[in-house]
Amino acid sequence: MLLTDLWQQRWPSCPPVGYKLREPYRNVWVRFHSLPESKRYPDNESEYSVVLGRYNTVLEIGRPSRGACRWRIADPE
């Protein structure tokens, strides 16, 4: 099965563009900010450490105690 076919099966109300999931799938949409003040990209080692810490926290909290876990990671660009 092609990835585009799988997308259409799971997200039929939305093209495969991450930020477009917000409206039709509002009940499951979530966004995590990588850096303070919604800054998008780290500029130095200190900021890379913040990003890594935040990503690890989100993955740890979101991991179920049992069973599979699926993450959708979208790049809006």
Side-chain angles (χ1 to χ4, degrees):
M1 176 176 283
L2 295 175
L3 186 56
T4 52
D5 295 334
L6 186 58
W7 180 279
Q8 283 300 339
Q9 283 183 356
R10 294 191 179 171
W11 309 102
S13 299
C14 183
V17 179
Y19 72 89
K20 291 189 175 187
L21 285 166
R22 280 183 282 207
E23 290 303 316
Y25 298 102
R26 177 169 277 171
N27 63 326
V28 295
W29 172 260
V30 65
R31 179 176 179 215
F32 300 100
H33 291 271
S34 299
L35 290 165
E37 299 179 20
S38 300
K39 183 176 177 185
R40 297 183 75 168
Y41 305 106
D43 290 326
N44 55 50
E45 289 299 317
S46 176
E47 289 179 348
Y48 275 104
S49 292
V50 170
V51 169
L52 182 60
R54 288 183 178 198
Y55 288 175
N56 285 335
T57 298
V58 167
L59 292 173
E60 185 64 29
I61 290 171
R63 186 180 60 185
S65 58
R66 293 183 181 171
C69 180
R70 292 184 181 171
W71 290 94
R72 303 258 189 267
I73 301 174
D75 182 357
E77 304 204 17

